Amino acid sequence: MMSQNKIGERKKYRRRKRYLAAAFGIAGLSLAAPAPFPALADSPPFAYSEEKWASLRDNRLEFDEIADLIHEYNSTVKKNAIEYQDYKGKDSEEIAQGYYDTAQDIYDSIEYPDSDEENYGARLAAAHSSERSADQMMERGDENTADSDTVLWGHMKTEKGLVQSAQQQMISYWNAVVSLQIRSSAAEKARKDLETAQTRAAAGTTSQTDVLNAREALLTAQAAVTETESSIASIKENLCLMLGWQYGDEVEISTLPEPEASMSARIHLEEDIAKAVENNYDLKILNRQVKNARVGTVQRSYETTLKSSEEAVKSSVRSAWQSLLLSENQYAQAKESFALEEQSMQSAERKKAAGTISANAYQSQSYSYAAARAEFDTAALSLLTAQLAYQWAVDGLASSV
């Protein structure tokens, strides 16, 4: 039997329905109309040309295909697209009403036992547990600030973040390839050093300790090669799975685009900061949460977060800008150093053809050239990373915390 007190509480909860607010986990956004939600994964044939579909479905990964591959085949994106259909077209009141309806269903199912009924204690505990669950649902309804747009923006942010992550993994793959070249060269040098030490030991011009040290250096260098090869395989596998391939698929990773040597020269920082604030998904969501909030404390909380988040976004873009400038400077220096080593290598080649350079001197120059090449390649990859990070920050992914 339900007490008069409980009946009164239920009426009170029914009255609370009119406060329809919003807080669903993903947040709200600016007052501008949202961009249309991308087509569901596995788009229809007319979404791309036959040539483009063929390119996406082959076993060669091109850098400029990453965004489309994420959109079409990434499991998280596909799941979010399906989930969005439950929220499409709903405002915060409708979503909040769903919480209230669920709470009311729970309240309606609660049966409070009489004190003389069998298993009174257990049944009363169960009723109180259900009541707490219903109360929590009511609170979620009161605090809800989600609507279809906030869910949409949250999914769009997730998809863009996955594209950015995949791009960085592809860069990491080639970074590891450069590292493998360096370590393979070091292992080859260690092997020759061991041969030299063994020859000298046989001639009595060096000790067995030197031979042991050279052998240990070779083993260390070989272990580094093996470790890097394993890293390359792991990065490649994770990247391919992320883009829709199956485990064990043979996928060719194409080369990366060349970085722009002086991207900063065409950038207007303050304009980009303004764009970053306008485009930022977190800020759009927070703006909408402020608008949707009906409970004063919830609204004030989002307003405070919004102000601090705007400053964080601006700071994030400025930080990305500084990183871009630093990377451009390092790239220019590495390019200059490599050009000098290239000239020295060409000179060594001419001397070798003329027989005027020793084998050791030529080999030393070859190692120096390879090191400069690797440093330049690494600087190029770092610059490409910085350029992408800056552009993503402007395009909506700048950190808001």
Side-chain angles (χ1 to χ4, degrees), residues 135-156:
D135 289 349
Q136 290 171 356
M137 282 293 171
M138 294 298 296
E139 290 173 1
R140 291 183 70 177
D142 287 345
E143 297 176 352
N144 178 63
T145 55
D147 59 24
S148 63
D149 289 344
T150 66
V151 176
L152 165 62
W153 290 320
H155 290 341
M156 290 175 70

Side-chain angles (χ1 to χ4, degrees), residues 171-280:
I171 293 173
S172 295
Y173 170 86
W174 283 109
N175 224 332
V177 169
V178 173
S179 294
L180 179 61
Q181 294 170 348
I182 296 172
R183 291 178 174 181
S184 296
S185 179
E188 177 62 20
K189 183 177 184 301
R191 185 186 66 78
K192 291 186 176 180
D193 289 344
L194 175 59
E195 291 176 353
T196 299
Q198 290 172 330
T199 300
R200 289 177 178 175
T205 58
T206 192
S207 66
Q208 283 301 315
T209 299
D210 291 335
V211 174
L212 291 174
N213 288 340
R215 181 174 285 111
E216 183 177 356
L218 175 59
L219 291 174
T220 299
Q222 289 174 333
V225 170
T226 301
E227 178 185 2
T228 307
E229 288 174 338
S230 177
S231 178
I232 290 173
S234 178
I235 293 171
K236 181 178 179 180
E237 192 67 52
N238 290 336
L239 175 60
C240 291
L241 290 174
M242 187 178 186
L243 298 177
W245 278 283
Q246 301 299 310
Y247 180 82
D249 284 349
E250 292 296 328
V251 181
E252 179 186 353
I253 309 295
S254 67
T255 56
L256 295 165
E258 291 292 327
E260 188 176 346
S262 55
M263 176 178 166
S264 63
R266 61 177 178 80
I267 288 176
H268 300 284
L269 180 59
E270 294 305 318
E271 291 181 8
D272 278 355
I273 289 175
K275 291 177 185 177
V277 170
E278 180 181 359
N279 294 334
N280 189 265

Side-chain angles (χ1 to χ4, degrees), residues 21-24 26-30 34 84 87-96 144-154 284-285 288-289 291-292:
F24 185 66
I26 321 178
L29 203 44
S30 72
Y84 174 70
Y87 299 95
K88 188 174 182 179
K90 292 183 179 180
D91 59 25
S92 62
E93 294 187 355
E94 291 176 278
I95 294 175
N144 178 63
T145 55
D147 59 24
S148 63
D149 289 344
T150 66
V151 176
L152 165 62
W153 290 320
K284 289 180 179 181
I285 290 170
R288 181 59 61 83
Q289 285 177 315
K291 179 183 177 182
N292 286 347

Side-chain angles (χ1 to χ4, degrees), residues 348 351-352 354-366:
K351 290 178 181 179
K352 181 182 179 183
T356 58
I357 188 174
S358 68
N360 285 341
Y362 178 80
Q363 191 65 54
S364 177
Q365 178 55 50
S366 296

Side-chain angles (χ1 to χ4, degrees), residues 24 62 101 117 210 309:
F24 185 66
E62 301 284 355
D101 290 343
E117 291 184 19
D210 291 335
S309 295

